[in-house]
Amino acid sequence: MVLIFNPSTIALSGDTVAVVDKLDPSQIHVLDPQTSKNQGDGKISHSAEIDEICLSQSGNINNRLLAMIDAAGTLVQRICFHDQWPMLAGLQEGQLVVWPCPSIAFDHRDLLEKTTITKKVEQLGRFPELLNFTQNSILLRRSDGSLLPSAFSPFPAALLAHLEESKWDNAIRLCRHMNDDSLWAMLAGLAMQARNIYAAEIAYGSLDEIEKVEFLRDIRNEKDKDVKAALMTMLSGKTSEADIMLEKAGHPFRALMLNITSFKWDRALDIALKNRDLLEIVIGYRQKYLQEMGRQETNEKFLKYQSQVEIDWPHIRQTLASHRARAD
């Protein structure tokens, strides 16, 4: 392992050192700064060469974030984490960009864009630098060497401070007072991470995300804790994980309907074959779907089993009602 250090390819926090491998710039070595031993697997592999990395400075090692800029055509030039909160700043095409809670990208990418704050910065030159991000100020260095401080809204940090102390009511009051979509999106994403359905409902409602509000109400009213956990996972966009959770928890009907509504027909058929009373449901919905699309069945697995099932929609509706009553 050959490591050659430069400010862009090494990052340090209180509990972690991250270094880009000079011989293989798609690899990042992650070490404990006190023992020099590997952190976790000791290595992060990326699909492209990495030009710059930085580590979040707040929280403990379980919440440590690593951000990177790769050589795969990214428009972001520089990145820097806030010195107190897990907020990330970057320079992109003459703009200062701030991601107040970048961790929501893992589960709620739709919210990430809504939280993003941009600010036009003039005359940065070709090679500007982002020196630090502290309190509500970001310090830049233009290509000519001159320093440029840029003010940033203090309210994302105030929201994070409330949530760090689990003061959800204060966080909601702040968002209502400011009535800013980026703050509501932050609250929605962080409430989902914390499994705070009450706060998430209010935040999504303020963003006019009515379908998600209704879905959250269904989750709140769900009595089975395993089903509730699976539904929360599904709301994060992890449908396959939610499906497996439901089946393992003994809810094959819910897993089946999740796959049918997601048009994952092969997986739905696999579940039905393990629970034969569900076979008519998946075959029936598959035929209905193909009729609406104006297509013929070509899937060999469905061709094999559809001849074994007589589709009777009154019976299917009765079976559905029976399973739903059992689920309730």
Side-chain angles (χ1 to χ4, degrees):
M1 180 177 70
V2 176
L3 303 175
I4 299 177
F5 303 126
N6 70 57
S8 297
T9 58
I10 182 169
L12 177 67
S13 71
D15 49 42
T16 306
V17 176
V19 186
V20 176
D21 193 317
K22 185 65 176 178
L23 291 183
D24 184 0
S26 66
Q27 304 286 328
I28 301 173
H29 300 278
V30 186
L31 309 169
D32 184 315
Q34 295 185 358
T35 65
S36 300
K37 294 182 179 179
N38 290 340
Q39 292 274 35
D41 295 334
K43 183 185 293 186
I44 298 172
S45 299
H46 189 51
S47 57
E49 292 187 5
I50 299 162
D51 294 332
E52 182 175 350
I53 58 174
C54 65
L55 284 166
S56 62
Q57 303 299 306
S58 60
N60 58 41
I61 192 170
N62 295 324
N63 299 316
R64 187 71 51 237
L65 297 175
L66 184 144
M68 68 178 75
I69 299 174
D70 63 28
T74 181
L75 298 176
V76 179
Q77 291 176 274
R78 295 290 185 179
I79 47 176
C80 178
F81 273 105
H82 194 276
D83 63 356
Q84 184 179 359
W85 303 109
M87 299 189 291
L88 180 66
L91 289 173
Q92 178 178 317
E93 295 186 307
Q95 291 189 114
L96 184 59
V97 185
V98 176
W99 296 274
C101 47
S103 63
I104 64 174
F106 301 120
D107 300 316
H108 303 280
R109 292 188 67 87
D110 58 319
L111 289 173
L112 183 66
E113 185 176 350
K114 293 180 180 180
T115 64
T116 304
I117 301 167
T118 60
K119 181 179 180 180
K120 186 72 175 177
V121 183
E122 301 290 344
Q123 299 178 339
L124 284 174
R126 292 185 61 188
F127 303 106
E129 293 183 64
L130 207 165
L131 299 181
N132 63 52
F133 186 7
T134 184
Q135 296 183 346
N136 63 325
S137 178
I138 300 171
L139 184 62
L140 310 170
R141 176 182 286 137
R142 293 190 174 105
S143 295
D144 63 7
S146 61
L147 299 180
L148 176 65
S150 182
F152 167 71
S153 170
F155 298 112
L159 181 61
L160 291 172
H162 287 315
L163 298 184
E164 185 180 52
E165 298 179 2
S166 297
K167 295 180 178 179
W168 291 93
D169 288 341
N170 288 353
I172 292 168
R173 278 195 289 271
L174 173 63
C175 290
R176 282 177 172 158
H177 179 71
M178 298 308 301
N179 196 27
D180 181 272
D181 280 357
S182 65
L183 290 177
W184 281 121
M186 279 183 67
L187 182 62
L190 295 171
M192 290 297 296
Q193 287 182 352
R195 297 292 195 261
N196 189 322
I197 298 174
Y198 169 74
E201 270 189 63
I202 293 173
Y204 275 118
S206 298
L207 292 169
D208 293 325
E209 299 269 3
I210 304 304
E211 290 184 1
K212 289 184 178 177
V213 171
E214 292 176 352
F215 193 84
L216 283 165
R217 284 176 184 161
D218 290 341
I219 294 174
R220 179 159 49 84
N221 294 328
E222 177 58 55
K223 297 177 182 177
D224 189 301
K225 65 178 183 179
D226 293 322
V227 173
K228 183 176 288 192
L231 293 176
M232 288 291 286
T233 301
M234 186 174 75
L235 190 59
S236 300
K238 300 176 182 177
T239 307
S240 297
E241 289 184 27
D243 161 29
I244 293 169
M245 291 169 68
L246 286 169
E247 190 177 24
K248 283 185 176 180
H251 299 281
F253 171 71
R254 286 179 180 264
L256 177 87
M257 297 309 296
L258 171 59
N259 282 282
I260 287 174
T261 55
S262 303
F263 307 112
K264 295 184 176 181
W265 297 108
D266 285 336
R267 172 60 181 155
L269 182 58
D270 288 340
I271 295 170
L273 290 174
K274 298 175 190 175
N275 306 270
R276 285 284 178 158
D277 63 323
L278 302 177
L279 187 58
E280 184 185 12
I281 296 174
V282 69
I283 296 294
Y285 272 104
R286 172 72 174 181
Q287 289 186 1
K288 185 178 181 182
Y289 165 76
L290 291 175
Q291 288 170 4
E292 291 175 352
M293 297 294 290
R295 294 163 56 186
Q296 297 293 319
E297 184 61 80
T298 58
N299 188 310
E300 291 184 3
K301 289 175 67 176
F302 276 92
L303 287 170
K304 176 182 177 181
Y305 290 104
Q306 71 181 14
S307 61
Q308 301 177 17
V309 176
E310 181 181 349
I311 302 303
D312 179 357
W313 274 102
H315 183 258
I316 289 175
R317 282 191 281 270
Q318 184 180 359
T319 305
L320 290 170
S322 174
H323 278 285
R324 283 170 178 152
R326 244 181 286 166
D328 293 337

